[in-house]
Amino acid sequence: MTADEAATIYALSSGSGRAGVAVIRLSGNRACGAFETLCPGQTLPPPRRVRRTTLVEPESGNIIDHGLAMTFLAPNSYTGEDVVEFHVHGGSAVVQAVVEALGRIGGLRMAEAGEFTRRAFENGKIDLTAAEGIGDLVAASTEAQRRQAVMQAGGAFAAQIEDWRVRLIRLLAHAEAEIDFPDEDLPEAIAGQARSDVVVLAEEMRQVLDDRRRGEVIRDGVRVAIIGPPNVGKSSLLNCLAQRDVAIVSDQPGTTRDVVEVHLDLGGFPVTVWDTAGLRETGDRVEAEGVRRALARADAADVTLVLRETGQAPARYGVSAGGGANQRIFLRTKSDLAANPVETVVVPGEISVSSKTGAGINSVLDRLVEAVASQFGSEEPAVITRERHRQCLLRAVEALDRAEAAASAELFSEDLRLAVRALESVMGRVDVEHILDIVFKDFCIGK
Ligand code: GDP
């Protein structure tokens, strides 16, 4: 451990900005010493107890604030190290004075993003999936994200992985026995049983992988694309859905040249709506690029809103036929226009909307929630929440498939060992260094 890693770290752990209370957290072997410096003559509260305290500026002896202090002694703390928390009044000058005073104490430094949680992981308090869950919980902005993150932070995924790992290790022990004591002739039945156990394990993993990426979608947001010809009212609809001006609305066709996105909380689901460039044949190179991106977005979307004006046929544009994952909702725009001709085109299930009067907008929202909930809102939150998990699990399944077909006991064991390693890397037990920076870079300071 380098001197820097051994440093006692501190950070504002509550949100920044004006608030009733601010929490400043310290972790490391100088945390208790820092309490004595900032609160001279006062006794450290016993572990897990709160004590009223007066924080003073060490050099001048001037009072910074009256607040509360809590201690957690190693290893019984979030990080596994000594932890001291100061709860002070939440004004920014108070926080700044405390932070500056801490900065002048030797051996202390400001924490980096995610460093408290990283220390918790490195000290064996939590596994990597729980650390990721905590990061997601801090970032959660909708109910579906919170539900998913709290399960992962609570160890649901880790428990599943651990169950597979333990079963695999048992199989591995049998296989190794076969190699080490070949002349004791383990009955054929055991070898046969081992192979069928491998098949069962691989199947369980496949079932977890076969989740339509629900977990990742909930984490990153359900993708909704708005498509239709220029001027049909895409930007106006997006503004109406977002209830604020986000896209340029103009009656000059072809003004939305790139893709504009808005994040919404739809019935507890995080949704990202893309306003795509008007779809039409165009000679303008910039606009042609916009159209290309629009089509790519529509193809990548989970739900597509297909817009048309009265009298026009709905756009086709080769977007996937509405089956499978990509659901389409058809809308007829500008329903308020008195000049609308009598409609002759029939589109089943179409909703007529006006972004000007707001008519039909609630039906669009209801239909969207329905489409999103039917795809991603099953009762059970998904187990896999990131690509990293998926890749590790896929490696495990591949190794098990190889094991099933292995020609010798040695090869069989080797593949089982690779599968175990793949599972251990989900939990951060192997290959740690290069993934840690990736995992913790998304955290905020103070967590
Ligand atoms: P986009 O090119 O598909 O993004 O279309 P815009 O949202 O920029 O709208 C094109 C024009 O249609 C603008 O002049 C809008 O004010 C107008 N417009 C859009 N929605 C409505 C609507 O519901 N009613 C009426 N009357 N005009 C609309």
Side-chain angles (χ1 to χ4, degrees):
M1 191 182 280
T2 65
D4 189 52
E5 281 168 346
T8 293
I9 51 171
Y10 61 90
L12 173 66
S13 282
S14 52
S16 55
R18 203 161 136 170
V21 175
V23 178
I24 293 153
R25 181 155 58 170
L26 289 81
S27 177
N29 55 17
R30 296 189 186 218
C32 297
F35 172 91
E36 278 152 16
T37 309
L38 278 197
C39 313
Q42 302 168 55
T43 14
L44 200 67
R48 294 163 186 255
R49 299 285 285 275
V50 182
R51 182 163 281 167
R52 216 177 113 73
T53 185
T54 301
L55 291 91
V56 301
E57 226 258 304
E59 288 81 18
S60 63
N62 291 334
I63 292 176
I64 299 174
D65 192 10
H66 303 285
L68 302 173
M70 280 176 92
T71 51
F72 303 85
L73 296 185
N76 300 315
S77 71
Y78 179 65
T79 58
E81 304 172 331
D82 287 349
V83 168
V84 172
E85 276 185 18
F86 290 115
H87 295 211
V88 292
H89 293 100
S92 57
V94 178
V95 172
Q96 197 172 338
V98 176
V99 165
E100 277 176 11
L102 288 170
R104 288 197 290 274
I105 301 175
L108 263 63
R109 68 163 169 80
M110 192 77 152
E112 288 164 17
E115 201 171 2
F116 289 95
T117 307
R118 185 170 182 152
R119 288 188 175 194
F121 166 73
E122 283 170 347
N123 292 326
K125 302 293 291 187
I126 51 174
D127 76 291
L128 198 53
T129 64
E132 288 167 330
I134 290 165
D136 288 350
L137 203 46
V138 173
S141 59
T142 73
E143 185 55 14
Q145 289 173 322
R146 184 195 63 72
R147 270 204 311 271
Q148 176 166 298
V150 82
M151 278 201 55
Q152 195 181 324
F157 187 27
Q160 171 67 85
I161 297 284
E162 183 59 14
D163 171 64
W164 286 330
R165 194 183 75 90
V166 167
R167 284 157 64 193
L168 267 173
I169 287 183
R170 214 175 291 138
L171 280 175
L172 189 56
H174 278 281
E176 306 264 277
E178 210 171 338
I179 299 168
D180 292 344
F181 309 101
D183 46 13
E184 288 186 12
D185 257 359
L186 279 185
E188 268 295 302
I190 293 187
Q193 180 64 40
R195 275 180 213 273
S196 67
D197 287 350
V198 161
V199 174
V200 169
L201 274 164
E203 190 46 39
E204 285 179 24
M205 290 178 198
R206 274 199 192 89
Q207 270 174 21
V208 167
L209 281 164
D210 181 24
D211 59 358
R212 285 178 291 117
R213 307 177 90 84
R214 269 190 298 127
E216 285 123 302
V217 171
I218 293 295
R219 205 176 153 255
D220 301 334
V222 181
R223 297 151 302 180
V224 175
I226 305 179
I227 64 166
N231 245 7
V232 67
K234 295 182 296 297
S235 307
S236 308
L237 177 71
L238 180 66
N239 290 344
C240 207
L241 292 176
Q243 283 156 3
R244 62 197 152 96
D245 279 341
V246 284
I248 321 150
V249 179
S250 104
D251 44 18
Q252 196 65 33
T255 44
T256 313
R257 290 199 164 163
D258 208 327
V259 178
V260 179
E261 63 175 51
V262 182
H263 301 271
L264 305 174
D265 177 341
L266 261 190
F269 294 101
V271 167
T272 304
V273 188
W274 297 320
D275 172 17
T276 60
L279 294 170
R280 62 165 189 180
E281 294 297 319
T282 171
D284 179 333
R285 289 238 316 275
V286 180
E287 205 192 314
E289 175 57 19
V291 170
R292 194 193 62 75
R293 287 188 203 178
L295 286 172
R297 286 292 169 118
D299 265 343
D302 302 301
V303 182
T304 307
L305 300 178
V306 184
L307 274 53
R308 66 159 185 134
E309 277 190 61
T310 302
Q312 296 173 349
R316 291 179 191 266
Y317 308 118
V319 177
S320 32
N326 190 333
Q327 291 196 28
R328 294 198 287 176
I329 299 171
F330 293 94
L331 308 181
R332 181 155 59 84
T333 60
K334 308 187 190 179
S335 64
D336 59 287
L337 284 184
N340 275 339
V342 175
E343 185 53 83
T344 51
V345 183
V346 180
V347 179
E350 186 177 59
I351 306 169
S352 80
V353 291
S354 166
S355 301
K356 205 153 242 175
T357 65
I361 295 294
N362 282 341
S363 307
V364 176
L365 290 173
D366 288 349
R367 192 75 70 78
L368 261 176
V369 173
E370 220 174 85
V372 170
S374 71
Q375 285 189 73
F376 306 106
S378 78
E379 287 300 300
E380 279 286 293
V383 174
I384 298 174
T385 59
R386 340 185 150 214
E387 186 60 22
R388 187 184 80 75
H389 305 159
R390 192 171 295 282
Q391 289 308 325
C392 294
L393 219 48
L394 280 169
R395 279 211 312 277
V397 172
E398 279 165 19
L400 292 182
D401 286 347
R402 276 196 311 272
E404 192 207 338
S408 70
E410 281 86 355
L411 291 173
F412 182 75
S413 308
E414 182 53 25
D415 285 326
L416 289 196
R417 222 172 284 124
L418 288 174
V420 170
R421 273 181 72 86
L423 294 180
E424 288 178 343
S425 63
V426 177
M427 294 204 276
R429 293 203 192 150
V430 285
D431 306 330
V432 160
E433 276 316 312
H434 76 284
I435 46 174
L436 286 191
D437 291 334
I438 301 170
V439 168
F440 288 103
K441 83 175 190 328
D442 293 340
F443 273 67
C444 54
I445 305 231
K447 191 64 221 177

